[in-house]
Amino acid sequence: MQVTYATEAAPGCANEDVAVCGDGWALVLDGATAPPGVDSGCIHDVRWLVHRLAAALSQRLIRSGGALPVLLAEAITETCDAHAATCDLANPDSPSSTVAVTRTRGSVLDYLVLGDSPVVIRSPGEGLTVISDDRLAHLPGGRPYSRELVRTLRNKPDGFWVASTSPDVAYQAVAGSLPSAAGAEVGLFTDGVSRLVEFYGYDWEGIFWVLETSGPGALISLVRSLERDRPIGCGKRHDDATAVFATNADAEASAQRPASWRSLIGM
């Protein structure tokens, strides 16, 4: 399997996304940018959290065939242990991150999504399967959300779930397996890329065509061009953007995708 990825910070910012890939597995984390003036109770920034969590989870994916929620819970515990002596882990504004993971075991593909970093799988004969956790998009009152609303509903049963200071949130993730995923193409994305679908009217088939023919970097370039020309009405104008693409697809077959996809994405 060939795995390619690209990650790019929002213009003028430090990148709070992380992507790590190994033999048969990949993960993407998207750290939540702390609003100005918020006391997180932590001496570390979001980049520290996502890098520590990514390292802890990667080690477990290399060593263990355990269930993905279990591995994530263990990784969160290890990360918490690394700063429990210096930081207030009871603070609800502690640094947090989304998590997206895929792993292949023969023809089986395991997935886990926690927060708004989707996994998209295209299987021969099965078409597209989108694994998403859209709970953040359905908080009371609709967007734009107030800072206090997000704070109140973070990691709560009627709100949304992200990786932070409680290992139990791992069991709230959208997780499962596709038993017959041989030959599948897999994409993992932070919301800085999935905004192409959410805000700009593109579809996943067109996004996969860009990945196949031009790679993840071209997909991020498309995002940046749209952000400049058609700013999103609510939320960040720019965001950190990360895309991972794993495929066994034949390159010549990929090049034969319908011309309508190329016109859709302007290429």
Side-chain angles (χ1 to χ4, degrees), residues 118-203:
V119 168
V120 184
I121 303 162
R122 184 165 66 184
S123 303
E126 299 294 332
L128 286 165
T129 302
V130 180
I131 296 106
S132 62
D133 177 359
D134 64 354
R135 286 170 283 195
L136 180 59
H138 299 288
L139 299 186
R143 297 182 187 271
Y145 302 137
S146 70
R147 181 186 302 178
E148 185 58 30
L149 178 71
V150 172
R151 182 178 189 270
T152 302
L153 295 178
R154 184 186 294 113
N155 290 343
K156 297 293 176 59
D158 294 328
F160 66 103
W161 304 91
V162 284
S164 182
T165 58
S166 171
D168 291 341
V169 303
Y171 301 102
Q172 301 296 332
V174 179
S177 301
L178 295 182
S180 301
E185 299 168 307
V186 181
L188 297 85
F189 310 92
T190 61
D191 65 340
V193 172
S194 64
R195 58 176 45 192
L196 285 170
V197 174
E198 184 177 359
F199 294 109
Y200 289 114
Y202 294 90
D203 65 20

Side-chain angles (χ1 to χ4, degrees), residues 11 117 157 159-160 212 235 257:
S117 293
F160 66 103
E212 291 173 330
R257 301 300 183 193

Side-chain angles (χ1 to χ4, degrees), residues 8 19 24 27 36 57 59 70 72 88 90 99 128 130 134 136 138 170 173 183 193 198 244 251 257:
E8 182 181 292
L27 65 86
L57 184 52
Q59 291 170 6
V70 174
L72 177 57
D88 177 12
V99 183
L128 286 165
V130 180
D134 64 354
L136 180 59
H138 299 288
V193 172
E198 184 177 359
V244 174
R257 301 300 183 193

Side-chain angles (χ1 to χ4, degrees), residues 9-10 13-17 30-38 40 45-47 49-50 93-98 116 147 150 154 162 191 236 238-240:
C13 299
N15 195 347
E16 295 171 342
D17 286 359
D30 180 359
T33 303
V38 169
S40 69
D45 61 11
V46 174
R47 282 169 54 84
L49 173 80
V50 293
D93 292 316
S94 292
S96 63
S97 176
T98 70
D116 55 357
R147 181 186 302 178
V150 172
R154 184 186 294 113
V162 284
D191 65 340
K236 303 175 184 176
H238 301 289
D239 199 359
D240 302 335

